């Protein structure tokens, strides 16, 4: 491909990253343009995905293409070069809010049918399901995951350690998980002998056959699992834990991933709310049903629904809810100032971010009085909860980690092609009646996997493709070879699914030259312990994990090592040959938007974007022979290093350098590095004037950027902001804008 047709796709997403993009994209375009690279926007925000799904409800001018589907197709092409920023994985509350905002702006997409009755409503619900929860990443992640802290970032953290609260050996903080009746306990797994089409069906005790999923096509060598969570066991577990927290005087806190596990975890969450507020639900349950209250979406949903009742009734319900709170254990808070508890909305307590924050805070979370307290962290599924208990044990024994000396734990994650639990939402069902849940071959009628289930149980099938595992093993070996670090595959032979994976790992390791490499397979708890023993000694260890631990560990270790997962380099080498460069490993930081709107300060750190862009440019250079792209990439890395050295990352405090100021410094250093390099005279000449102007006007520009802070900023919406307003707010320095325009 000729250099002048090079293309990098830059995603527009939501919340803080969306805002940051409005400042950064003009900068990216100005630099990439110098290498003949076109930077193309692709809007995959939750609002745009809603519009893309419902064109028939929109005027021609309002219609939006289904960009996510198009981008998904692009990931299957070898020349794909995509920069993917974090996006909202919308909980139902967020989806409903986004729909409301669109409708208020005259985009008359249908209302969300919360309790679909008619066929038409059911169809709408199904279509909205495509936008709900983790709907973007599974479509785009056509490759496995390579997340790590680049050396410059790790070194910066060592020199400028973030705060870590102390851990006491006497801390009573602990993790509580089920020991029976959960997904781990009853899992069954097999590797497909040949390609098969299967159905998922329930044969009820009363003799009915209910087809839950008519057809799933499976490939030869694919691993499938059948597992269920017993409702009875779950409910008994909650009763016991809530009681235990009360009796032992410890705060209660629930941690789930209701966004990614968009079918199972909202149900798991909802049962906890119903048990915690049992007396209120017993008293008002019928009314709640009539109102269509669904606490799987948190108490926010309940408080929203009761608004239609007379005030006196609302007060009575609120009193009864509070009475439960009075007699139960204290609840951990998401926002104690606003009285928002862990039960408010499941998207507030996303486990990968919430558990590391608690561990970093010395094993404490905020109580209703705004004080940090020890907690019982409840994570019903035992499959992965145990790793958190292990790290908590470790902290109690060794004290908090020291960012100055601790080693690093990069991750190679099995993620491609909707691997494992995270790809299971379209194969997850709440069982309507007692019976037998079967995965059955459509052609031969053979029952491949069978489970005895009861009404209310959550049953699911997970799959992982052979090619994905093969690619994952290759990536792990390559990363070990390139970094010199040992690799530990976190796989538990007692878990049927992972036992199948272990067989494949052992087979595919033989395809590679592993001489001199240290590659081991350990169950999760041992792997955690082993890794931590190395971490405290300053030694580095690659974790090669399945999809869920990829998610958990790539927030956990970065938050300990770097203070945030925003500073991670996150690469998805696409299996078809292209590359997707995710920015950071964290989310879209909703709190940051609030601060911008109230005080015009954006604390979002775009370091993840800088790191991603450098590898994207490098990849473009390698694949297309575009030498200028490679020079841009090297210069960008150098600029990022200088940015860290000079402490030009955004400050969380209003009035100080924020995202925009940090991006200005990156631009200055990038231009200076390009002007100073001697490999390409044309590039040097092009960027020298910019470097000069920015350096001469440094104080003026920073003053212009900081002067706007401290006052509210109107971005014209939350899910569907006004782009003109956002651009104006994110680019407030006329001097900087004018300078940039000279190279654009
Ligand atoms: N790849 C993706 O698309 C991902 C999307 N998400 C989505 O993001 C939303 C929010 O998720 P949540 O679990 O709250 O996680 P977030 O990572 O958004 O929030 C946790 C905290 O991480 C910190 N943080 C994350 N990124 C940055 C950054 N670039 N700069 C500075 N700080 C950062 C902030 O901490 P502090 O304020 O203390 O600095 C933030 O409050 C959800 O909709 C979720 O589904 C989540 C993960 C990945
Ligand atoms: O896709 C999502 O919902 C979140 C992704 C995530 O948390 C991650 O990949 O680390
Ligand atoms: Mg995550």
């Amino acid at each position: 491909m000729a250099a002048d047709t090079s293309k990098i796709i830059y995603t527009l997403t939501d919340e803080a990253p969306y805002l940051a993009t409005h400042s950064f994209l003009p900068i990216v375009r100005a630099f990439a343009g110098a290498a003949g690279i076109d930077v193309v926007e692709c809007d995959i925000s939750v609002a745009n995905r809603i519009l893309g799904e419902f064109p028939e409800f929109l005027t021609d001018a309002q219609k939006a293409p289904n960009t996510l589907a198009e981008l998904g197709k692009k990931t299957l092409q070898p020349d794909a070069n995509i920069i993917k920023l974090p996006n909202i994985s919308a909980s139902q509350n967020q989806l409903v809010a986004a729909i409301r905002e669109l409708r208020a702006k005259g985009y008359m997409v249908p209302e969300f049918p919360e309790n679909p009755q008619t066929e038409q409503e059911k169809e709408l619900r199904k279509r909205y399901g495509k936008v709900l929860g983790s709907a973007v990443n599974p479509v785009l992640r056509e490759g496995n995951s390579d997340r790590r802290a680049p050396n410059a970032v790790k070194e910066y953290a060592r020199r400028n350690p973030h705060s870590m609260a102390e851990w006491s050996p006497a801390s009573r903080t602990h993790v509580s998980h089920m020991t029976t009746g959960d997904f781990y306990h009853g899992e069954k797994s097999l590797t497909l002998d040949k390609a098969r089409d299967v159905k998922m069906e329930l044969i009820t005790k009363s003799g009915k056959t209910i087809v839950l999923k008519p057809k799933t096509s499976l490939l030869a060598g694919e691993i499938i699992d059948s597992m269920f969570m017993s409702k009875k066991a779950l409910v008994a577990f909650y009763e016991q834990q809530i009681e235990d927290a009360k009796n032992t005087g410890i705060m209660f806190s629930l941690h789930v991933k209701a966004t990614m596990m968009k079918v199972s975890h909202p149900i798991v969450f909802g049962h906890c709310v119903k048990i915690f507020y049992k007396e209120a639900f017993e008293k008002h349950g019928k009314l709640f049903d009539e109102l269509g209250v669904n606490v799987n979406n948190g108490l926010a949903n309940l408080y929203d629904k009761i608004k239609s009742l007379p005030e006196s009734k609302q007060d009575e319900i609120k009193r009864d809810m509070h009475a439960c709170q009075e007699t139960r254990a204290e609840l951990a808070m998401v926002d104690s100032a606003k009285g928002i508890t862990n039960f408010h909305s499941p998207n507030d307590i996303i486990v990968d971010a919430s558990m590391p924050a608690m561990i970093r805070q010395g094993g404490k979370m905020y109580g209703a009085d705004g004080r940090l307290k020890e907690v019982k962290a409840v994570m019903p599924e035992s499959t992965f909860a145990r790793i958190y208990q292990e790290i908590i044990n470790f902290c109690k024994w060794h004290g908090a980690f020291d960012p100055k000396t601790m080693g690093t734990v990069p991750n190679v994650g099995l993620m491609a092609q909707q691997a494992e639990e995270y790809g299971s939402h379209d194969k997850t069902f709440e069982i309507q009646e007692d019976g037998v849940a079967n995965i059955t071959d459509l052609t031969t009628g053979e029952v491949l996997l069978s489970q005895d289930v009861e009404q209310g149980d959550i049953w699911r099938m997970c799959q992982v493709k052979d090619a994905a595992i093969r690619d994952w093993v290759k990536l792990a070996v390559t990363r070990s070879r390139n970094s010199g670090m040992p690799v530990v595959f976190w796989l538990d032979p007692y878990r049927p699914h992972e036992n199948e994976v272990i067989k494949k790992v052992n087979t595919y390791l033989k395809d590679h030259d592993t001489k001199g490499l240290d590659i081991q397979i350990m169950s999760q708890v041992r792997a955690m312990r082993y890794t931590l023993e190395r971490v405290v000694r300053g030694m580095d260890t690659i974790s090669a994990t399945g999809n869920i631990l990829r998610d958990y560990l790539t927030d956990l270790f970065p938050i300990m090592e770097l203070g945030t997962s925003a500073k991670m380099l996150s690469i998805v080498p696409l299996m078809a040959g292209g590359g997707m460069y995710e920015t950071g490993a964290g989310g879209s930081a909703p709190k940051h938007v609030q601060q911008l709107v109230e005080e015009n300060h954006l604390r979002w750190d775009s370091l993840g974007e800088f790191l991603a862009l450098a590898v994207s440019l490098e990849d473009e250079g390698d694949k297309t022979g575009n030498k200028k792209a490679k020079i841009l990439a090297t210069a960008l890395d150098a600029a990022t290093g200088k940015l860290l050295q000079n402490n030009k990352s955004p400050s969380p405090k209003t009035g100080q350098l924020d995202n925009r100021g940090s991006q200005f410094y990156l631009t200055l250093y990038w231009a200076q590095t390009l002007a100073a390099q001697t490999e390409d005279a044309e590039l040097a000449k092009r960027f020298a004037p910019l470097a000069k102007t920015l350096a001469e006007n440094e104080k003026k520009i920073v003053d212009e950027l900081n002067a706007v802070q401290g006052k509210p900023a109107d971005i014209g919406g939350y899910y569907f902001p006004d782009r003109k307003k956002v651009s104006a707010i994110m680019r407030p320095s006329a001097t900087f804008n004018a300078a940039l325009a000279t190279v654009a």
Side-chain angles (χ1 to χ4, degrees):
M1 194 201 284
D4 62 356
T5 58
S6 287
K7 193 162 96 175
I8 292 176
I9 301 176
Y10 202 98
T11 54
L12 296 183
T13 56
D14 308 276
E15 296 182 328
Y18 178 83
L19 301 174
T21 298
H22 281 78
S23 161
F24 194 44
L25 207 48
I27 300 169
V28 178
R29 288 202 162 116
F31 281 76
I37 298 172
D38 212 4
V39 182
V40 183
E41 282 174 14
C42 181
D43 186 343
I44 50 169
S45 62
V46 66
N48 205 61
R49 285 183 279 127
I50 297 172
L51 298 180
E53 183 57 41
F54 294 102
E56 73 274 29
F57 291 83
L58 303 170
T59 66
D60 283 347
Q62 291 175 333
K63 285 192 173 97
N66 192 332
T67 39
L68 179 62
E70 285 166 22
L71 197 57
K73 281 190 209 136
K74 185 73 206 175
T75 61
L76 302 174
Q77 291 167 11
D79 66 341
N81 187 334
I82 302 166
I83 296 185
K84 157 71 178 64
L85 281 79
N87 61 281
I88 293 180
S89 294
S91 65
Q92 190 172 304
N93 300 336
Q94 290 170 303
L95 181 60
V96 170
I99 295 168
R100 269 186 205 161
E101 182 176 332
L102 285 168
R103 288 174 63 89
K105 288 179 170 154
Y107 292 76
M108 300 316 284
V109 291
E111 297 274 15
F112 181 78
E114 285 191 35
N115 300 299
Q117 303 297 330
T118 66
E119 280 312 307
Q120 199 192 1
E121 284 172 350
K122 284 184 188 154
E123 183 55 28
L124 279 181
R125 177 68 184 73
K126 210 166 136 200
R127 286 174 73 185
Y128 268 126
K130 289 193 227 159
V131 189
L132 197 62
S134 187
V136 170
N137 291 323
V139 174
L140 302 183
R141 288 173 171 171
E142 282 291 330
N144 290 305
S145 156
D146 166 9
R147 286 182 179 176
R148 54 192 133 113
N151 281 342
V153 173
K154 184 72 183 162
E155 277 315 307
Y156 172 80
R158 287 201 165 118
R159 283 195 311 272
N160 302 276
H162 51 275
S163 64
M164 294 284 276
E166 276 182 24
W167 265 92
S168 159
S171 169
R172 297 196 308 132
T173 290
H174 61 274
V175 173
S176 296
H177 59 73
M178 296 167 75
T179 49
T180 182
D182 68 346
F183 289 121
Y184 180 90
H185 193 244
E187 182 178 272
K188 294 180 180 172
S189 181
L190 62 79
T191 300
L192 273 267
D193 50 349
K194 57 179 184 193
R196 292 172 187 260
D197 288 341
V198 298
K199 64 179 168 182
M200 294 178 74
E201 63 185 1
L202 174 71
I203 321 287
T204 69
K205 276 200 176 143
S206 57
K208 276 186 286 176
T209 299
I210 303 172
V211 177
L212 296 168
K213 175 105 185 156
K215 184 174 164 189
T216 296
S217 298
L218 304 170
L219 301 176
E222 186 161 351
I223 298 173
I224 58 164
D225 319 320
S226 163
M227 57 180 101
F228 72 100
M229 164 89 85
S230 153
K231 178 184 165 186
K232 275 189 195 147
L234 177 66
V235 166
F237 164 76
Y238 281 141
E239 291 274 11
Q240 195 188 17
Q241 295 308 320
I242 292 170
E243 215 28 50
D244 184 61
K246 172 76 185 170
N247 293 339
T248 58
I250 195 161
M251 199 159 69
F252 184 93
S253 165
L254 180 66
H255 302 261
V256 289
K257 182 100 189 184
T259 47
M260 258 178 146
M261 310 301 294
K262 65 181 176 185
V263 179
S264 56
H265 279 199
I267 303 171
V268 168
F269 177 92
H271 283 305
C272 192
V273 178
K274 278 181 269 187
I275 301 270
F276 195 88
Y277 295 98
K278 196 159 86 182
E279 292 78 13
F281 273 82
E282 273 164 11
K283 184 169 165 197
H284 302 287
K286 212 165 147 273
L287 175 62
F288 290 167
D289 285 346
E290 283 162 23
L291 291 172
V293 168
N294 183 359
V295 278
N296 293 359
N297 306 311
L299 287 183
N301 179 277
L302 184 146
Y303 288 119
D304 193 40
K305 287 281 156 62
I306 62 170
K307 277 191 190 133
S308 60
L309 298 172
E311 291 237 339
S312 59
K313 192 72 195 169
Q314 289 187 40
D315 288 344
E316 183 192 332
I317 293 171
K318 284 183 193 160
R319 262 200 316 274
D320 291 337
M321 299 289 289
H322 287 151
C324 295
Q325 239 160 277
E326 294 294 310
T327 51
R328 295 293 204 186
E330 185 178 359
L331 260 187
M333 305 298 278
V334 169
D335 187 337
S336 46
K338 293 202 173 119
I340 295 180
T341 72
N342 260 14
F343 288 151
H344 183 73
S345 187
N347 55 281
D348 286 341
I349 48 158
I350 301 179
V351 55
D352 49 337
S354 61
M355 280 302 288
M358 182 268 258
I359 294 169
R360 197 184 151 194
Q361 272 167 183
K364 293 181 181 163
M365 293 181 73
Y366 285 97
D369 55 5
R371 293 222 177 116
L372 282 169
K373 293 172 193 176
E374 292 164 359
V375 283
K376 173 190 277 297
V378 175
M379 257 172 274
E381 266 187 73
S382 62
T383 323
F384 303 108
R386 293 169 297 159
I387 63 139
Y388 288 113
Q389 183 59 51
E390 192 58 28
I391 191 169
I392 286 172
N393 292 344
F394 198 84
C395 289
K396 283 188 198 175
W397 188 245
H398 290 267
F401 297 104
D402 181 355
K404 288 203 291 293
T405 54
M406 70 189 290
T408 191
V409 186
N411 178 265
V412 175
L414 172 58
M415 162 174 100
Q417 301 172 330
Q418 313 195 5
E420 305 187 316
E421 289 88 337
Y422 280 162
S424 67
H425 53 79
D426 59 344
K427 297 175 284 298
T428 304
F429 303 94
E430 195 169 21
I431 296 295
Q432 299 135 327
E433 277 186 48
D434 295 5
V436 180
N438 288 338
I439 299 173
T440 309
D441 187 307
L442 273 173
T443 320
T444 65
E446 271 169 276
V447 175
L448 302 180
L449 293 169
S450 180
Q451 298 277 13
D452 289 334
V453 289
E454 294 178 321
Q455 188 273 331
D457 291 355
I458 307 164
W459 175 51
R460 74 179 175 211
M461 173 166 105
C462 301
Q463 37 183 145
V464 55
K465 302 212 186 309
D466 180 63
I469 299 178
R470 195 188 279 250
D471 180 82
W472 173 57
V473 172
K474 180 172 156 217
L475 187 58
V477 173
T478 312
R479 286 287 308 123
S480 177
R481 178 70 68 201
N482 292 347
S483 64
M485 294 181 200
V487 180
V488 177
F489 282 89
W490 296 42
L491 295 168
D492 172 3
Y494 292 106
R495 186 184 165 200
H497 164 78
E498 290 181 6
N499 199 36
E500 295 299 300
V501 178
I502 288 173
K503 290 182 205 159
K504 285 187 189 282
V505 169
N506 283 327
T507 305
Y508 296 140
L509 278 174
K510 296 197 186 94
D511 293 346
H512 305 283
D513 170 18
T514 54
K515 205 157 150 249
L517 302 184
D518 177 354
I519 300 177
Q520 301 185 60
I521 299 177
M522 287 180 207
S523 63
Q524 280 86 1
V525 173
R526 285 189 56 219
M528 178 58 100
R529 179 72 196 211
Y530 177 80
T531 303
L532 294 179
E533 292 287 359
R534 291 176 56 85
V535 157
V536 287
R537 290 168 176 80
M539 291 189 280
D540 308 329
T541 319
I542 296 171
S543 61
T545 66
N547 210 351
I548 290 197
L549 284 179
R550 168 199 63 76
D551 183 30
Y552 291 5
L553 299 190
T554 58
D555 265 342
L556 180 63
F557 285 111
I559 288 173
M560 301 304 135
E561 294 177 36
L562 317 170
T564 170
S565 53
K567 296 184 172 166
M568 292 297 271
L569 175 59
S570 183
I571 303 177
V572 185
L574 296 166
M575 284 167 66
M580 184 162 77
Y581 308 98
E582 297 199 27
T583 76
S588 50
K591 270 194 218 151
H592 296 195
V593 185
Q594 197 184 335
Q595 191 182 10
L596 178 102
V597 170
E598 287 167 6
E599 303 174 354
N600 201 352
H601 177 92
L602 185 64
R603 66 182 293 194
W604 177 260
D605 191 338
S606 285
L607 191 72
E609 286 101 288
F610 307 158
L611 298 171
L613 179 63
V615 272
S616 159
L617 285 167
E618 190 185 357
D619 181 57
E620 200 59 29
D622 284 338
K623 289 196 178 133
T624 65
N626 183 339
K627 289 207 181 80
K628 285 190 165 47
K630 294 213 36 145
I631 294 169
L632 284 179
T634 313
L636 175 54
D637 264 337
T640 306
K642 196 162 168 193
L643 179 103
L644 289 169
Q645 249 166 37
N646 292 354
N647 260 330
K648 299 298 181 193
S649 300
S651 155
K653 291 207 185 78
T654 300
Q656 301 180 353
L657 199 75
D658 78 348
N659 179 270
R660 297 163 285 196
S662 172
Q663 292 187 4
F664 156 69
Y665 276 106
L666 182 89
T667 315
L668 168 65
Y669 301 149
W670 197 2
Q672 284 176 332
T673 315
L674 285 170
Q677 55 80 35
T678 50
E679 248 180 285
D680 187 312
E682 197 193 330
L683 278 181
K685 192 162 163 251
R686 184 169 177 144
F687 285 96
L690 178 66
K692 186 164 175 283
T693 314
L694 296 184
E696 282 169 4
N697 290 285
E698 175 183 341
K699 183 170 178 325
K700 188 171 178 217
I701 293 172
V702 172
D703 284 348
E704 283 173 1
L705 292 173
N706 289 354
V708 295
Q709 296 189 33
K711 296 170 275 261
D714 172 21
I715 54 171
Y718 190 88
Y719 295 97
F720 195 53
D722 179 332
R723 288 199 71 180
K724 278 212 184 91
K725 286 185 178 172
V726 174
S727 277
I729 285 163
M730 290 308 300
R731 307 190 68 209
S733 165
T735 314
F736 184 31
N737 298 348
L740 207 54
T742 61
V743 284

